[in-house]
Amino acid sequence: MTRYPKLFEPGLIGKMRLKNRIIMPPISTNLANEDGTVTDELVFHYAERARGGVGLITVENVCVDYPLARHGAAQPRIDDDVFIPGLRRLANAVHEAGALIAVELTHPGMNAEPCFTAGQTPVAPSAVSRPKDGLIPRALSREEVMEAAGKYVEAARRAKKAGFDAVELQACHGLLINQFLSPLTNKRQDEYGGSHENRLRFLLEILDGIRLYLGPDFPVMVRLVAEDLLEGGLTLEDGQWFARHLEEAGAAAIHPDFGLGGKEKRLEPMPYPQGWRVYLAEGIKKAVSIPVIAVGVIREPGVAEEILQAGKADFVALGRALIADPEWPHKALAGAEKSIRKCIGCNECVVARHVEDAPLRCTLNPAVGKGRDFSQTGRAEVRKRVLVIGGGPAGMEAARVAALRGHQVALYEKEDRLGGALHIASVPPGKEKLDWVTEYYSNELPRLGVELHLGEMVEAKMVRAWRPDAVIVATGSEPVIPDVPGVDGSNVIVAQMLLARKMHFTGEHIAIIGGGMLGLETAEYLATQGNAVTVLKRYTTVSRLIEPLYRDYLLRKLKEEGVEIITEVEVEEITGSGVVVLDRQGVRKLIPADWVVMARGARASDKLAREIEDPHPIVIGDAVEPRKIIDAVREGFVAARAI
Ligand code: SF4
């Protein structure tokens, strides 16, 4: 008997029967070929999620009209029959792995990039400049609007021919259909603009066309804008109105989400709480009786079950949750919740997809986007004694994979708990999800038989005595303490220490030296405790290592908390009254402070690695060079896979 009866109850979308209430929403992978054909990696990516137990998979961002609707460097295409065989291979693989499959039909309209549209000006309902950069799209003529609707219908025909079970019309996120629906981007004077009825006409023509062509039983779901995030845009009442009329027109399900603007709210960084966006589904559900799909930071089976039990939605969409752990559904069903590698919302995947146009990657799941060969950890032919030194993310992942390969693994950690630098990183406001990583490994390592030695310091001579076949050194990093006069004063604290001890101050003036992620997050931590905080930075720019949506979020929070950021200053001296700095004009001044926090980053803690000679150690993670969690986890995975 499952703990989540509603989540694992079969459900209908039209006549399509899903084995459970879990849907994978469209998430761009950039795993197609540049010409839009399907690759082995794309097939493996979706088949892997299907094997994990999801009910329905929606294939990402598929281009309905090339090149005008091209929306990414390696996007799948469905604008010509030539793509049907590849799509059929994808549909077959997902079916064989036990899930249903739908395709998201996408046209970005004004949000296409000219670099992808062969230099053509992006098209839109009206020539209204787009908010992100002011580019003015070309308004579609009446004939072109009808032609564009026909492209969606043709695409749906190809999807059905390729064996897909349903289509989902992309009508949110500020893309073409959303642009027709919203009064901000639709200023047309003809029958496609003006009233609600007219703005909905383009979408209804697509829906009618598909139903006419493919019959009323082929499910057409709509990823519908429930509200825009720009002033004067669509409200939830508008979303309800559209949803009602779409139901009347035969839509099989509504998958509501945000529309124009507000990228941060669609691709939420870590601080956003679980299920915060579900109110959109709840609102739409009040207007329709067809199924409604809830999306947005749903990470735990209990949260998903609660959404369904409360009647806020009929299905839940797990996007990043299934990127981080494709086995999420099976683990939830088996009651193995602690074995779920829960997405922490770090948005490394978002940077890959939206900033770099690179293949999908995941901080916690190194196998994502890499295809079958890389993903298989396999069993080693010879069982070896593997010694892992360091219990941060790199060491924990190395120990996990080495144990999966059948090795005898011992992990030594000098602290009395696993986690390493994660314990510091999870302290600032909104970073609590990082504790999930430690909790996951704390459950998995003993379960896989890893011998844990916590609170035990390793010296090089002990390694020889243990006689390991392989040694992995993951000793992490240590704080950088610059050689500044006064740095050893009693008013100076190291940021890492402050966070590790969860030190508390109130009503103090605090100067932070260092404006990287560590300095800024420490500033927020101290400001929320009621201190007056000043950050002193050498440069004007904020580190590119910080994920852009989170960076904007963090800078906004710091502003709200009244944190002052002083840029382009060199620290000359720390005194009992504060920090003496020199600005670019050569002006020296004192920044008054009761306390001074050093946040100048970290350097590799690699002494032990240099001392161990036999066997030659494999050094991974921050012990090589302090970087991100994704680097630590990937190096742990790769190192253990090679033993
Ligand atoms: Fe989640 Fe981060 Fe993985 Fe993206 S990269 S799926 S946000 S853990």
Side-chain angles (χ1 to χ4, degrees):
M1 177 66 186
T2 170
R3 283 187 206 132
Y4 312 108
K6 196 74 196 163
L7 190 58
F8 290 99
E9 181 185 273
L12 287 173
I13 291 182
K15 291 191 174 159
M16 175 172 68
R17 188 174 189 273
L18 280 69
K19 64 184 174 189
N20 57 39
R21 301 304 177 109
I22 307 169
I23 292 176
M24 182 173 190
I27 293 203
S28 306
T29 60
N30 283 333
L31 291 176
N33 285 313
E34 260 185 57
D35 64 3
T37 50
V38 166
T39 59
D40 289 348
E41 286 77 16
L42 192 72
V43 172
F44 179 75
H45 174 75
Y46 285 116
E48 188 77 342
R49 269 114 204 119
R51 275 188 286 277
V54 63
L56 169 70
I57 283 176
T58 321
V59 174
E60 70 204 61
N61 185 33
V62 181
C63 175
V64 298
D65 183 14
Y66 188 88
L68 264 181
R70 192 173 176 210
H71 194 216
Q75 174 197 20
R77 284 171 59 185
I78 195 167
D79 57 295
D80 192 290
D81 285 3
V82 77
F83 297 105
I84 293 175
L87 291 166
R88 184 176 292 125
R89 186 158 73 91
L90 176 57
N92 287 346
V94 167
H95 284 154
E96 280 161 20
L100 299 172
I101 184 165
V103 64
E104 180 194 36
L105 303 181
T106 307
H107 192 316
M110 64 158 66
N111 281 320
E113 295 305 331
C115 63
F116 292 136
T117 57
Q120 294 188 51
T121 304
V123 294
S126 308
V128 174
S129 70
R130 61 185 191 188
K132 64 177 174 180
D133 58 7
L135 181 145
I136 299 180
R138 180 174 68 77
L140 290 162
S141 68
R142 274 186 72 234
E143 291 66 32
E144 284 176 321
V145 174
M146 288 183 252
E147 232 174 76
K151 302 272 184 188
Y152 283 89
V153 178
E154 270 294 298
R157 177 188 65 77
R158 291 186 192 106
K160 189 175 181 197
K161 197 167 177 195
F164 281 72
D165 302 288
V167 293
E168 181 168 275
L169 301 175
Q170 208 316 336
C172 60
H173 299 173
L175 306 190
L176 184 64
I177 300 176
N178 187 173
Q179 291 156 27
F180 270 91
L181 295 173
S182 176
L184 291 175
T185 41
N186 185 345
K187 307 287 183 192
R188 298 180 74 93
Q189 304 292 324
D190 60 11
E191 71 268 36
Y192 293 103
S195 64
H196 278 74
E197 286 87 349
N198 282 359
R199 281 182 276 129
L200 183 62
R201 192 177 310 279
F202 177 57
L203 175 51
L204 282 187
E205 283 182 2
I206 297 169
L207 178 58
D208 290 346
I210 295 173
R211 285 169 55 78
L212 195 69
Y213 213 178
L214 301 182
D217 290 347
F218 187 69
V220 182
M221 306 184 288
V222 182
R223 189 100 197 256
L224 179 68
V225 48
E227 63 181 29
D228 284 329
L229 291 164
L230 296 179
E231 215 181 312
L234 298 169
T235 63
L236 188 52
E237 287 72 39
D238 295 318
Q240 289 172 324
W241 192 94
F242 291 135
R244 256 193 308 275
H245 285 74
L246 288 165
E247 176 174 22
E248 282 167 19
I254 304 289
H255 183 178
D257 207 346
F258 291 122
L260 293 163
K263 202 168 180 185
E264 178 188 301
K265 295 198 167 174
R266 288 191 275 118
L267 301 162
E268 309 90 337
M270 201 179 290
Y272 280 76
Q274 282 198 75
W276 79 277
R277 238 194 290 168
V278 172
Y279 77 94
L280 296 177
E282 205 178 349
I284 294 298
K285 200 162 160 49
K286 289 187 180 125
V288 297
S289 53
I290 50 175
V292 174
I293 303 159
V295 71
V297 201
I298 301 168
R299 302 287 192 257
E300 292 171 318
V303 172
E305 178 73 13
E306 196 276 326
I307 292 166
L308 298 171
Q309 288 284 358
K312 294 175 185 169
D314 303 285
F315 292 86
V316 288
L318 304 184
R320 284 174 283 182
L322 290 180
I323 300 294
D325 194 343
E327 288 278 321
W328 192 107
H330 277 160
K331 289 174 180 173
L333 183 61
E337 298 86 348
K338 287 185 176 169
S339 287
I340 293 176
R341 194 166 40 195
K342 288 186 282 189
C343 163
I344 51 177
C346 65
N347 275 357
E348 193 65 42
C349 53
V350 172
V351 173
R353 298 183 285 130
H354 293 270
V355 182
E356 298 172 4
D357 254 318
L360 184 66
R361 60 174 182 261
C362 173
T363 288
L364 302 182
N365 184 353
V368 166
K370 300 273 193 328
R372 182 185 301 277
D373 290 349
F374 186 88
S375 304
Q376 311 297 323
T377 49
R379 297 289 285 184
E381 281 174 18
V382 180
R383 187 168 199 252
K384 294 181 178 170
R385 284 164 64 83
V386 179
L387 175 61
V388 179
I389 307 168
M396 294 191 292
E397 176 67 359
R400 183 187 77 89
V401 175
L404 279 175
R405 287 179 53 68
H407 295 308
Q408 182 194 348
V409 186
L411 184 150
Y412 283 76
E413 163 57 44
K414 66 179 187 316
E415 301 292 333
D416 58 2
R417 56 185 179 164
L418 289 170
L422 289 169
H423 290 296
I424 294 168
S426 68
V427 173
K431 302 301 292 287
E432 304 80 10
K433 289 193 185 92
L434 286 172
D435 286 335
W436 289 351
V437 184
T438 307
E439 285 163 18
Y440 164 73
Y441 286 109
S442 298
N443 179 68
E444 285 301 279
L445 299 189
R447 192 181 69 78
L448 294 170
V450 174
E451 214 181 279
L452 290 178
H453 298 266
L454 302 179
E456 290 187 40
M457 194 83 178
V458 174
E459 290 174 19
K461 59 179 186 283
M462 293 162 66
V463 172
R464 271 190 292 278
W466 206 72
R467 293 182 181 279
D469 299 301
V471 179
I472 296 176
V473 175
T475 40
S477 61
E478 56 203 27
V480 169
I481 313 290
D483 189 16
V484 176
V487 76
D488 47 5
S490 57
N491 59 337
V492 180
I493 313 160
V494 176
Q496 288 94 330
M497 193 101 68
L498 182 146
L499 294 172
R501 294 183 186 162
K502 296 189 180 163
M503 291 168 79
H504 205 278
F505 298 83
T506 312
E508 306 275 5
H509 282 84
I510 302 177
I512 297 181
I513 298 175
M517 182 131 131
L518 176 66
L520 296 178
E521 289 189 335
T522 307
E524 192 191 3
Y525 173 75
L526 291 167
T528 53
Q529 293 175 0
N531 300 293
V533 182
T534 306
V535 177
L536 303 172
K537 274 173 66 63
R538 268 190 187 143
Y539 308 107
T540 42
T541 51
V542 177
S543 172
R544 275 180 295 132
L545 288 178
I546 309 180
E547 183 269 306
L549 292 171
Y550 176 60
R551 184 183 55 207
D552 293 350
Y553 170 94
L554 182 57
L555 291 175
R556 198 177 63 240
K557 286 282 166 196
L558 291 175
K559 204 169 175 190
E560 284 167 16
E561 294 291 344
V563 171
E564 187 185 7
I565 301 178
I566 300 178
T567 59
E568 297 188 307
V569 286
E570 281 293 336
V571 172
E572 289 222 313
E573 187 188 356
I574 300 169
T575 71
S577 340
V579 184
V580 179
V581 296
L582 194 66
D583 68 15
R584 277 187 80 186
Q585 283 72 41
V587 178
R588 185 170 286 110
K589 59 181 167 188
L590 174 77
I591 309 295
D594 306 307
W595 296 94
V596 178
V597 177
M598 294 302 314
R600 276 280 172 84
R603 67 168 146 254
S605 176
D606 55 0
K607 183 169 169 283
L608 184 64
R610 283 184 271 113
E611 288 172 359
I612 299 170
E613 285 170 358
D614 185 27
H616 191 68
I618 306 164
V619 188
I620 59 172
D622 281 7
V624 177
E625 182 194 349
R627 286 154 299 156
K628 298 197 267 185
I629 304 171
I630 189 169
D631 301 302
V633 173
R634 187 190 59 246
E635 287 172 12
F637 180 90
V638 170
R641 204 168 152 273
I643 296 172

